[in-house]
């Protein structure tokens, strides 16, 4: 049996967003236990020229909701990118998971050759659906998830590889 576009996308996205949510829960609990202002974690970054945790979560959710919508041929939901607390980031993750789970396998399967066009300022990227998912979305999604994890781990939150990968 072949791996479908749906199987390679939606379940992976939902699982990893669940893991991200659990990591954010641990960060919030750590902040509370250590009496650290949670905003310190939400605004933390690995380097001065990198995005903070909040933006890493925003980009990770943007990437997967955009992917699901583009592969399904439906409108990409638009979020405001104004989250400043763990609760707001959790709400964004939950909203994204709800959207992902509203997209059916029938809408995504067969999208391997769908033309996908992304615009980055004056630059335009044209990919077919399978290359978009495998070569653009998955690496970018995992980059931002990993960076969110690394920001929190670097700031003392007690998380490990199993928190990132989740239970099998």
């Amino acid at each position: 049996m072949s791996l479908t576009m749906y199987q390679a996308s939606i379940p992976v996205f939902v699982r990893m967003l669940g893991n991200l949510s659990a990591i954010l829960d641990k960060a919030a609990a750590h902040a509370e236990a250590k009496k650290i202002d949670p905003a310190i974690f939400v605004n933390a970054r690995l380097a001065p020229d990198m995005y903070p945790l909040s933006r890493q979560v925003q980009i990770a959710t943007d990437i997967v909701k955009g992917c699901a919508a583009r592969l399904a041929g439906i409108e990409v939901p638009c979020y405001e990118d104004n989250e400043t607390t763990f609760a707001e980031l959790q709400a964004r993750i939950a909203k994204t998971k709800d959207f992902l789970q509203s997209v059916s396998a029938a809408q995504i399967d067969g999208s391997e050759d769908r033309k996908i066009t992304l615009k980055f300022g004056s630059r335009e990227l044209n990919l077919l659906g399978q290359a978009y998912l495998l070569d653009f979305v998955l690496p970018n999604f995992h980059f931002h998830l990993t960076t969110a994890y690394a920001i929190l781990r670097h700031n003392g939150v007690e998380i490990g590889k199993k928190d990132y990968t989740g239970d099998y």
Side-chain angles (χ1 to χ4, degrees):
M1 181 172 159
S2 299
L3 180 69
T4 68
M5 289 290 283
Y6 181 87
Q7 291 168 330
S9 60
I10 302 304
V12 175
F13 301 159
V14 169
R15 174 184 168 83
M16 293 307 295
L17 287 176
N19 296 351
L20 177 59
S21 178
I23 288 169
L24 294 182
D25 280 342
K26 285 190 172 190
H30 179 82
E32 185 177 332
K34 300 289 185 179
K35 308 230 182 298
I36 299 170
D37 179 356
I40 291 171
F41 291 133
V42 172
N43 294 307
R45 53 185 81 218
L46 289 176
D49 64 344
M50 290 182 76
Y51 288 126
L53 175 69
S54 58
R55 190 73 183 120
Q56 301 296 336
V57 173
Q58 291 164 352
I59 294 170
T61 56
D62 284 347
I63 288 169
V64 295
K65 70 180 171 66
C67 178
R70 289 181 186 100
L71 292 179
I74 59 177
E75 186 175 338
V76 178
C78 184
Y79 300 166
E80 291 185 38
D81 295 338
N82 59 0
E83 295 83 9
T84 60
T85 67
F86 281 125
E88 290 170 348
L89 291 172
Q90 292 284 21
R92 183 184 181 106
I93 292 168
K95 179 171 47 171
T96 303
K97 286 174 63 179
D98 287 345
F99 170 71
L100 294 172
Q101 291 170 326
S102 76
V103 179
S104 71
Q107 290 173 284
I108 292 182
D109 286 343
S111 63
E112 295 86 349
D113 294 322
R114 177 170 292 198
K115 292 179 182 177
I116 307 291
T117 300
L118 302 172
K119 296 185 184 209
F120 305 99
S122 63
R123 185 173 169 231
E124 190 172 281
L125 180 63
N126 294 293
L127 297 165
L128 295 181
Q130 183 173 326
Y132 169 61
L133 172 61
L134 300 178
D135 300 335
F136 181 84
V137 172
L138 288 172
N140 278 283
F141 180 52
H142 283 283
F143 172 85
H144 291 285
L145 292 175
T146 301
T147 303
Y149 167 92
I151 288 168
L152 294 171
R153 184 68 189 102
H154 175 75
N155 280 279
V157 177
E158 295 178 12
I159 51 178
K161 181 179 177 182
K162 188 173 180 181
D163 295 296
Y164 181 88
T165 60
D167 290 327
Y168 293 101

